[in-house]
């Protein structure tokens, strides 16, 4: 998993010099079972010669790796799941139009699987990641989700090893 993170970091850094074709800023908010909270910053998404580049400018997250995904529905609101209110559950599951397996951003599988989001010791995320199978148009009408903990990109346990939903942004149509 650490190796995958390093590959994503290297790709993101090398793409900063690549050609950006289009861009959109997505505001990201803390989420809880009670609702959508304060903004923690933005993620800028832009097309490049190598796929979709996502550049976070976020603060207030716990240090370490976080699962990072595009989710099916354009909502960050809580919803009932398994009989209890759950943070950002209205976003649904991972964006998965081809009904693929949970394999990560570099293989066939959930189109919404993104490289892990790296957060520094001060709680800031600023390192770009690249999603080579996505285009900007794929994001429209979905949500961008940050999970507590890393992601194993495996179908089990649920969320592929990522934890609770901690932050979310709606991507407008």
């Amino acid at each position: 998993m650490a190796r995958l993170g390093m590959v994503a970091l290297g790709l993101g850094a090398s793409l900063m010099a690549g050609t950006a074709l289009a861009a959109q800023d997505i505001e990201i908010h803390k989420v809880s079972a009670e609702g959508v909270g304060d903004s923690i910053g933005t993620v800028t998404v832009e097309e490049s010669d190598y796929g979709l580049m996502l550049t976070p400018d976020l603060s207030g997250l716990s240090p370490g790796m976080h699962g990072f995904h595009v989710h099916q529905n354009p909502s960050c609101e809580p919803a009932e799941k398994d009989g209890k209110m759950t943070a950002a559950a209205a976003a649904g599951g991972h964006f998965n139009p081809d009904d693929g397996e949970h394999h990560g951003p570099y293989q066939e599988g959930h189109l919404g699987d993104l490289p892990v989001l790296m957060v520094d010791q001060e709680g800031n995320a600023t390192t770009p990641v690249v999603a080579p199978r996505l285009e900007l148009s794929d994001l429209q009408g979905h949500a961008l989700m940050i999970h507590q903990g890393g992601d194993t990109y495996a179908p089990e346990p649920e969320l592929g090893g990522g934890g609770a939903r901690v932050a979310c942004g709606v991507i407008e149509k």
Side-chain angles (χ1 to χ4, degrees):
M1 189 62 219
R3 185 176 180 162
L4 177 60
M6 294 307 291
V7 169
L9 289 173
L11 270 174
S14 69
L15 287 180
M16 294 182 86
T19 305
L21 305 173
Q24 179 179 354
D25 289 333
I26 302 164
E27 188 167 6
I28 306 295
H29 294 265
K30 288 274 190 170
V31 293
S32 71
E34 289 75 43
V36 178
D38 293 334
S39 173
I40 61 168
T42 61
V43 173
T44 300
V45 293
E46 55 192 320
E47 292 182 2
S48 76
D49 294 338
Y50 305 97
L52 195 63
M53 183 166 54
L54 297 93
T55 305
D57 185 11
L58 304 171
S59 60
L61 293 164
S62 62
M65 294 189 303
H66 291 265
F68 196 32
H69 306 106
V70 177
H71 279 246
Q72 185 64 40
N73 304 319
S75 177
C76 295
E77 295 295 326
E80 191 172 315
K81 182 177 178 183
D82 298 328
K84 65 179 182 174
M85 292 304 286
T86 303
H94 296 174
F95 177 49
N96 188 15
D98 298 324
D99 199 29
E101 295 292 322
H102 186 56
H103 293 303
Y106 305 109
Q107 301 177 39
E108 293 299 317
H110 292 179
L111 197 54
D113 285 347
L114 301 174
V116 294
L117 183 71
M118 298 301 293
V119 179
D120 67 22
Q121 290 302 310
E122 288 78 39
N124 302 311
T126 58
T127 304
V129 298
V130 177
R133 299 186 306 128
L134 285 174
E135 297 178 3
L136 192 59
S137 61
D138 293 325
L139 301 183
Q140 305 309 304
H142 298 289
L144 191 59
M145 191 71 64
I146 300 171
H147 297 270
Q148 186 62 43
D151 192 337
T152 64
Y153 302 110
E156 296 295 330
E158 187 176 357
L159 300 177
R165 299 169 186 206
V166 296
C168 178
V170 173
I171 306 160
E172 301 297 329
K173 290 186 177 184

